[in-house]
Amino acid sequence: MDDISHCCFSSLSILITAILASVGSVFTASWATGDSGASNGSIGGGRWELLLENAGIASMHTAVTHYGTVVMLDRTNIGPSSINLSDGRCRYNPLELALKVDCSAHSVLFTPETRSLRPLFIYTDTWCSSGQFDASGTLLQTGGDNEGVAKVRRFTPCPPDDVCDWEELDAPALQDGRWYATNQLLPDSRHIVVGGRSVFTLEFLPPNGQAKTFLPFLQTSSDEQTDNLYPFVHLLPDDTLFIFANRDSIVYDYRMNTVVRALPRIPGEPRNYPSAGSSVMLPLRANESYARAEILVCGGAQLYCFLYPAPFPNASQTCGRLVITPAEEQQPEWEMDYMPFRRAMGDMLFLPTGDVLIINGAQNGCQGWDNARNPAFYPVVYNPDAPLGARFTTKAPSTIPRLYHSTANLLPDGRVLVAGSNTHQFYTYSGSFPTELRVEAFIPDYLHEAFNMMRPVIVIAPERVVYSQPFNVYVYVNDTVQGELELNMVSSPFTTHSFSQGLRFLKMKVERQIELGEGDGNLSFFQLHATAPPSPTVAPPSYYMLFVVNQGIPSKAVWVQVIYPSA
C-alpha cells in the first residue's frame, strides 16, 4: 500500500475487519436523504426537498467549501436583509449607497447536514462580483460595485463547529475595478481575473509585479447591450484558456499574451450576461490522457432583450458543443442540439456521474430587473456520451421560480443545492416573482431508495494526492458489482449569474480493482488503485470531491486535495 492512503494495516484480514467495523455508521450517515419520500416526481425524475424556509439572504453567489459548508453571498447596497449580524455587530460604511449603518448580514454560512445557518460579515459591496477557491481551499472573491469594485476578499473555511468569517484585504487590490468579471484558477496557483463591465483587460492574483493586460477580444465581442459580461473561461489541458463572450470564442495563451486561435461563432443568440446562457467544459478523461477538451454552451436570450425586455422574447433552446483540443488541422465546428425547453439564466453543473444538470432560469426574457417571464421549473440532464438527439432527459419540476440571481451547486452527498432569485433591485416580498429566501435541494434519481444496495461507500481514501502518484481507495458495496467501479473527481466552483467559475470534472481510470472479501449477504469490499492527475494543467491544485460510481449510482464524496510533491 502507498503512503498517501495512510493505511497501516499489516494484513488483509485486519483491513476487512476495520472496514466491517465502520461500514454501518458510514452507510447510514451518508445516505439519510436517500429515502423514497418523493413529493415531486418519482424514481425516473428525481425529487425536491425544502432545506430552509428562510436563509436570510437571496444568494446570488454560492460556493461549497471542503468542509461541506456553503458560503452564500448577496450584495450589500440592497438595504437590510432578513437576517441580522450576530453579537450585536453592525456595519458602518460611509460609502454605502443604501444604509450607512447596517446591522443585517449579506452573507451567510449554511451547513446542509444540520440545516444550520450562521451570519457572516461582509463590508464592501459584492454586487455581481467573481471568485474561486485557491490551492489551500480558501475562497478568493473579487470586485463588485461602488466601493467594492476593486476589492479583494478572502474566506478561509473552517469546520462547521468553528468560527470563520470574511476578510477584506488591503492589498493586493484589483488593478482595474471589475463588475461582472470571471475568475479562473491557474496551474501555478494564481487566479486570472478576466473582463468586467467596460473593462477589456485581464490581471493576475497575486500580481507578482505583472501589470494588467489589454485583451482586444473582450472589446470586439461587445454589442449594444454588452453581451460579453461574465465571459465563460475554461482552463484547457494544454495550459491555454478558452474564453467565450457573446457568440465568439478564442483559445488564449495567457503566458505569452497571444490569441492561439479564433474559433467559429456559435449559431443563434447571444450567450453571456445579460443574455444568460451557461457553459461547462465536458469531463476530461484518463482514457484519453486528459487531452481532449470539449466545450458545451447552452441557452441564452434574444439580442436587445435587456434593452427592450417587453414583450419578453423567447429564450434560446439550443446547445452548442465544440472540440477544442487536441488541435485538428481543420477548424472545429459547433455541433448544435436542442434542449427540451427554452432557457435563459439556467445553471449548468456536473452530477457525480459526469452528466450535466441544467436547472433554474426562464423560458422568456433575460437577466436584469424584472426582465423575465415563464420560469423554467423543469431541470434537464444532458448525457455527453449519448448520441446527438438523445442526450436530454427531463426531471421533476420545482414549484419555486428561480430567475435572476439564483444559483445551483453540487453537494458532496450528491444532492444539488438551489438558492436565490431576486428579480428586483431591493428585497421585495410581494408581487410577481418576489425575492426568494427559501433554499431547496434537487435530489437526482440515483438517490432513490431503490438504488441503496448498489450505492458504494468510501471507507478509506487519501486526504491528499500528489500529481502522477498512485493512491488507493477502499470501498464497500452492499450488492453485487458488475464490471468496473468508476472514480470521478469534480471541483467546487464559485457559482453566479448562470456560470460556475472554476468548474472541472475528471473521469479517472481505475487501474486495478481488487475484491478484498465478502461480508454478510452480498457485502463486497474493494481496493481501487488509481493514479492522481498528471499535471496542474489537468487539475489545478485545490480541493476536489472524489466520487466512486457503481453502475451510475455514486457514493458520497470525500474531499481530496491535489498537491505538488513539495507541498
Side-chain angles (χ1 to χ4, degrees), residues 272-287:
N272 292 85
Y273 181 93
S275 291
S278 191
S279 173
V280 296
M281 182 170 68
L282 293 176
L284 302 176
R285 301 169 184 266
N287 63 6

Side-chain angles (χ1 to χ4, degrees), residues 242-374:
F242 171 85
I243 304 178
F244 182 106
N246 198 333
R247 295 172 58 200
D248 296 319
S249 53
I250 59 173
V251 175
Y252 175 69
D253 186 335
Y254 65 91
R255 296 180 182 274
M256 302 301 295
N257 185 28
T258 57
V259 175
V260 178
R261 276 194 294 170
L263 297 166
R265 174 170 288 182
I266 191 172
E269 299 79 9
R271 309 285 177 162
N272 292 85
Y273 181 93
S275 291
S278 191
S279 173
V280 296
M281 182 170 68
L282 293 176
L284 302 176
R285 301 169 184 266
N287 63 6
E288 297 172 334
S289 301
Y290 300 108
R292 180 183 175 88
E294 291 187 81
I295 304 299
L296 182 68
V297 176
C298 293
Q302 299 291 331
L303 181 61
Y304 305 121
C305 173
F306 181 76
L307 293 176
Y308 311 104
F312 308 103
N314 288 343
S316 173
Q317 197 170 348
T318 61
C319 288
R321 181 166 166 173
L322 188 69
V323 178
I324 305 297
T325 59
E328 300 175 355
E329 292 184 4
Q330 296 181 344
Q331 182 77 313
E333 296 182 358
W334 287 96
E335 179 189 75
M336 302 305 294
D337 204 349
Y338 284 87
M339 298 181 288
F341 305 95
R342 303 186 307 270
R343 197 178 303 255
M345 296 181 287
D347 287 288
M348 293 171 64
L349 63 151
F350 285 114
L351 298 177
T353 56
D355 290 340
V356 180
L357 179 69
I358 308 176
I359 196 169
N360 298 338
Q363 297 191 64
N364 294 81
C366 57
Q367 288 179 321
W369 308 131
D370 200 32
N371 282 358
R373 295 292 186 273
N374 193 10

Side-chain angles (χ1 to χ4, degrees), residues 12 474 510 512-517 525-529:
L12 180 62
Y474 296 90
V510 177
R512 291 196 305 275
Q513 178 173 303
I514 303 171
E515 186 166 359
L516 301 178
F525 305 96
F526 294 91
Q527 179 195 65
L528 307 182
H529 182 80

Side-chain angles (χ1 to χ4, degrees), residues 26-49:
V26 171
F27 186 81
T28 302
S30 297
W31 298 107
T33 61
D35 58 64
S36 61
S39 56
N40 293 322
S42 63
I43 186 172
R47 64 186 181 91
W48 290 82
E49 178 183 17

